[in-house]
Amino acid sequence: MNHTYIIGEIGQNHNGSVDIAKLIVDLVSRPVREETFGIDLPAMDAVKMTKRDLNEELTVSQMNRIYDNPNSFGRTYGEHRAALELSDEEHFEVYKHAKSRGLDFVETLCAVGCLSMLKLFTPDKLKVASRDLTNLPLLTALAETKLPIILSTGMSGKKELDDALEIITKYHDDISILHCVSQYPTHPDNLNLKTITYLKNNYPQYKIGFSDHTIGISAPVVAVGMGAEIIEKHITIDRRMKGTDQAGSLGPDGVNRMLRDIRVAERWMGREELYIDESVSASKQKLERSIASRRPIAAGEIITENDIHMLSPGDGFKWADRHLVIGKTAKKDIPANEIIYNDFIN
């Protein structure tokens, strides 16, 4: 049974609060139970945070533009971004909380200056945001750390991905690639999950996964069925909270349902083989058909093909074995519409 590496992405859903970030960590760390069969299922594997360097984020004019909308945390876009940014020390605090809950910690570093965080702690993996796949100086700096790297392809084609891989593999090849569409939320017509099989076929040396921005929980489960080994999904404690990403994220109930369905889907996959599972043996015996008498057959009569047909249960001769019945003599009277067992005939 494969284990899907599931990342709960906090992004900016902490709204600038370490305490909210910790609550999301707690949500991500909860295992779930499949009630019908009484199966306890593993929790998510990791939580992800994002760190920006506002001096390397946008142009001065863009940072100074008025940002007046219901989701704004500041008068200008720069003030808005500053309100949502946690310090290195605050990231370290969330990291320690995640570790105490048994989670891996993944960090998206959006600028070379953000690597200052690594003086405080070492994330388990680094994530490259879709927009930075062409930011080759940043990719070089991240690759030099030798930490495992996850690439998200949301804004890239094959050339951009190959250029990024060429840079990183100069330093190491512990790389994962996530199919992603950077549309929030992603329209069903634009998702193209078959990119997952394309990536698996063309980049078999790397782990392939899916970073999901759709509404709901179905797409990640389908992605697992298509071979995705990593799933990333935005998580929040309340989808009604202020913030542009909250409504498109999973709240507590959605987290439980997605986690349950992915973990159950892992068990669905099984092995690439056609076989009769032991679990169906009782149903097979009860429901499958066996050779039965079409009419009353008296003791001493020779059974012909016209004398037989198929009825349940399935614990007698199959039609493929009819030569073991036809031409045989009934040892005793056989009523109509009863299974003809081996000890009924000579």
Side-chain angles (χ1 to χ4, degrees):
M1 184 174 63
N2 292 329
H3 179 88
T4 310
Y5 189 85
I6 306 177
I7 304 169
E9 180 171 359
I10 295 177
Q12 61 187 25
N13 285 348
H14 52 67
N15 286 358
S17 164
V18 171
D19 290 335
I20 292 177
K22 288 181 176 180
L23 287 174
I24 298 175
V25 169
D26 291 341
L27 174 59
V28 167
S29 68
R30 295 190 316 199
V32 296
R33 183 173 176 81
E34 198 290 320
E35 295 294 345
T36 301
F37 295 99
I39 303 171
D40 292 315
L41 303 167
M44 292 190 185
D45 300 275
V47 67
K48 187 180 83 68
M49 297 274 285
T50 298
K51 178 63 178 172
R52 295 173 176 84
D53 181 343
L54 297 186
N55 293 318
E56 299 182 54
E57 188 62 23
L58 285 168
T59 62
V60 172
S61 58
Q62 286 296 308
M63 292 291 274
N64 288 336
R65 67 184 171 89
I66 301 301
Y67 193 65
D68 184 17
N69 64 63
N71 289 311
S72 174
F73 286 83
R75 187 181 66 88
T76 65
Y77 189 74
E79 291 173 355
H80 166 77
R81 284 256 53 97
L84 290 174
E85 206 58 47
L86 297 178
S87 68
D88 289 357
E89 290 74 18
E90 288 170 322
H91 277 254
F92 185 29
E93 190 174 342
V94 180
Y95 164 85
K96 288 185 290 186
H97 189 66
K99 286 299 180 181
S100 75
R101 295 294 188 269
L103 295 171
D104 283 355
F105 193 86
V106 182
E107 188 76 62
T108 297
L109 300 178
C110 295
V112 173
C114 297
L115 270 74
S116 61
M117 184 184 297
L118 302 186
K119 296 175 182 178
L120 296 177
F121 68 96
T122 303
D124 296 282
K125 301 177 191 294
L126 298 177
K127 171 79 185 295
V128 178
S130 301
R131 65 174 183 160
D132 279 321
L133 220 64
T134 56
N135 186 348
L136 301 187
L138 174 61
L139 293 183
T140 300
L142 296 178
E144 285 176 340
T145 68
K146 304 293 180 69
L147 291 173
I149 288 181
I150 302 173
L151 300 176
S152 197
T153 64
M155 301 180 187
S156 71
K158 189 175 189 305
K159 181 184 185 304
E160 291 84 355
L161 177 58
D162 288 344
D163 288 348
L165 291 171
E166 183 180 358
I167 291 291
I168 298 169
T169 52
K170 291 177 181 177
Y171 301 90
H172 70 84
D173 59 2
D174 192 346
I175 303 168
S176 303
I177 305 171
L178 305 187
H179 169 53
C180 174
V181 179
S182 297
Q183 180 187 29
Y184 309 90
T186 305
H187 190 282
D189 293 345
N190 301 333
L191 191 58
N192 202 57
L193 282 179
K194 287 187 177 179
T195 298
I196 293 171
T197 53
Y198 172 85
L199 291 170
K200 289 180 73 69
N201 290 333
N202 287 273
Y203 301 91
Q205 65 273 47
Y206 305 121
K207 285 189 175 180
I208 304 301
F210 173 51
S211 179
D212 182 34
H213 298 128
T214 65
I215 298 295
I217 64 171
S218 297
V221 181
V222 173
V224 169
M226 298 179 71
E229 300 171 79
I230 302 170
I231 294 293
E232 180 182 79
K233 186 79 171 179
H234 284 266
I235 306 300
T236 183
I237 55 172
D238 190 338
R239 298 175 64 244
R240 298 166 297 180
M241 286 173 60
K242 179 179 177 178
T244 54
D245 287 347
Q246 306 285 3
S249 302
L250 291 183
D253 182 59
V255 169
N256 287 341
R257 289 186 292 113
M258 184 191 76
L259 181 57
R260 176 201 63 198
D261 287 358
I262 289 176
R263 295 301 187 217
V264 170
E266 292 169 347
R267 304 169 82 100
W268 287 341
M269 299 309 294
R271 59 184 189 264
E272 196 168 340
E273 181 184 348
L274 180 63
Y275 62 97
I276 300 172
D277 192 83
E278 292 180 5
S279 64
V280 304
S281 58
S283 296
K284 178 179 172 64
Q285 180 169 318
K286 177 182 177 181
L287 299 175
E288 220 173 41
R289 301 180 192 276
S290 303
I291 291 176
S293 54
R294 186 184 292 277
R295 63 172 182 85
I297 301 172
E301 280 194 80
I302 295 175
I303 300 172
T304 70
E305 186 165 342
N306 291 333
D307 295 330
I308 60 175
H309 64 154
M310 300 292 286
L311 295 175
S312 297
D315 58 349
F317 292 105
K318 305 306 172 197
W319 194 256
D321 301 322
R322 63 191 181 280
H323 62 282
L324 300 175
V325 178
I326 296 170
K328 301 297 182 180
T329 302
K331 286 184 180 179
K332 60 182 181 178
D333 292 343
I334 304 173
N337 296 317
E338 291 295 342
I339 304 301
I340 301 174
Y341 294 106
N342 187 53
D343 58 353
F344 288 9
I345 56 178
N346 285 319

